Amino acid sequence: QVQLVESGGGLVQAGDSLRLSCAASGRTFRSYDMAWFRQAPGKERTIVAVIRWSGARLYYADSVKGRFTISGDNAKNTVYLQMNSLKPEDTAVYYCAARAYVGALVTSPGDYTYWGQGTQVTVSS
């Protein structure tokens, strides 16, 4: 059974940094795309970043380009989201997601098969 477990969320001030982790288990993820989504209260779940497990392809939402970095550690089956220069508008529950990749990277939540439970990130002004 596939499991994705996020960690690393918390309460920080604007301008601070956080690193989220997503530990994956249950199968070999080398043929998977791993993504981070976020959902603020009353809003839809939206893409933050995607990485093809091989690291060959990356995608970032415009709102986080230059501030967030997605990376993976194959040996640990873990994907990270390094978040720098955090802003109050980054406040949301952050979710890790996975899908077996076919073709181009995709950014719709409906295209992802496996989900973690989410971790709260709160950025105060």
Side-chain angles (χ1 to χ4, degrees):
Q1 184 174 355
V2 174
Q3 270 198 316
L4 303 175
V5 180
E6 303 101 331
S7 61
L11 171 63
V12 297
Q13 293 186 331
D16 285 351
S17 298
L18 276 177
R19 189 177 80 158
L20 305 183
S21 299
C22 172
S25 62
R27 63 177 62 213
T28 301
F29 286 88
R30 295 189 182 277
S31 60
Y32 277 66
D33 289 337
M34 305 295 295
W36 287 97
F37 288 81
R38 66 186 181 186
Q39 187 167 18
K43 295 189 176 181
E44 294 184 347
R45 192 170 297 187
T46 58
I47 189 70
V48 175
V50 184
I51 185 170
R52 182 144 293 175
W53 197 262
S54 64
R57 296 189 185 183
L58 299 172
Y59 169 90
Y60 293 97
D62 288 343
S63 59
V64 306
K65 280 181 182 176
R67 299 188 299 123
F68 291 12
T69 302
I70 189 170
S71 63
D73 185 330
N74 289 338
K76 296 182 178 180
N77 254 14
T78 300
V79 175
Y80 304 99
L81 184 68
Q82 177 66 43
M83 305 185 294
N84 299 329
S85 302
L86 283 161
K87 305 175 181 180
E89 50 264 43
D90 294 318
T91 295
V93 177
Y94 283 70
Y95 296 91
C96 178
R99 69 183 286 268
Y101 73 74
V102 177
L105 297 181
V106 293
T107 59
S108 171
D111 289 317
Y112 284 81
T113 308
Y114 305 105
W115 290 86
Q117 82 287 352
T119 185
Q120 176 71 46
V121 172
T122 303
V123 184
S124 63
S125 58

